Amino acid sequence: MALYSDKVMDHFQNPRNVGKIDDADGIGEVGNAKCGDIMRMYIKVKDGIITDCKFNTFGCGSAIATSSMATELIKGKSVEDALKLSNQAVVEALDGLPAHKIHCSVLAEEAVRAAVKDYYDKNGIAYNAEEFQIHDCEHCSE
């Protein structure tokens, strides 16, 4: 069995939605000092729907693949639905990740959440701060 699924390899070699949105409605940046991965996620929102999203990721192939998949999963969705994106949903959409790379999917989830939080902050939209807690991934030290 291959270490990475065909979908992981495809999203690593042909990432979707790479780039920057200059007039983004929300920008989220997350990173992990233990593994060195840094993700920046940009979202454009119209009438509560994410009409565009892009990312820049500095990290391993799994970090790039999870960022790419996360943008695909939230594009066209409501902001509220984007907040429901879980790292497990990203892993499943990629047909799995090795255990020691699960932290990449956690970072992708957190980047989406950070972009939504920035959107809420910029627009004065009230939210529950507990929804935006950062996860301390035990896999990140591996």
Side-chain angles (χ1 to χ4, degrees), residues 4-41:
Y4 295 104
S5 72
D6 289 342
K7 282 189 181 178
V8 170
M9 293 306 297
D10 182 39
H11 277 267
F12 166 59
Q13 294 173 330
N14 306 293
R16 282 62 152 184
N17 308 306
V18 175
K20 178 181 180 184
I21 299 175
D22 289 325
D23 61 344
D25 295 312
I27 302 170
E29 184 173 317
V30 297
N32 185 293
K34 293 176 185 174
C35 64
D37 294 334
I38 300 170
M39 294 180 184
R40 181 175 283 172
M41 188 83 54

Side-chain angles (χ1 to χ4, degrees), residues 72-94:
E72 289 287 281
L73 293 172
I74 67 168
K75 194 181 238 184
K77 300 283 192 319
S78 70
V79 173
E80 293 78 17
D81 283 344
L83 275 178
K84 295 175 189 171
L85 179 71
S86 69
N87 76 297
Q88 189 58 40
V90 174
V91 171
E92 289 172 7
L94 288 169

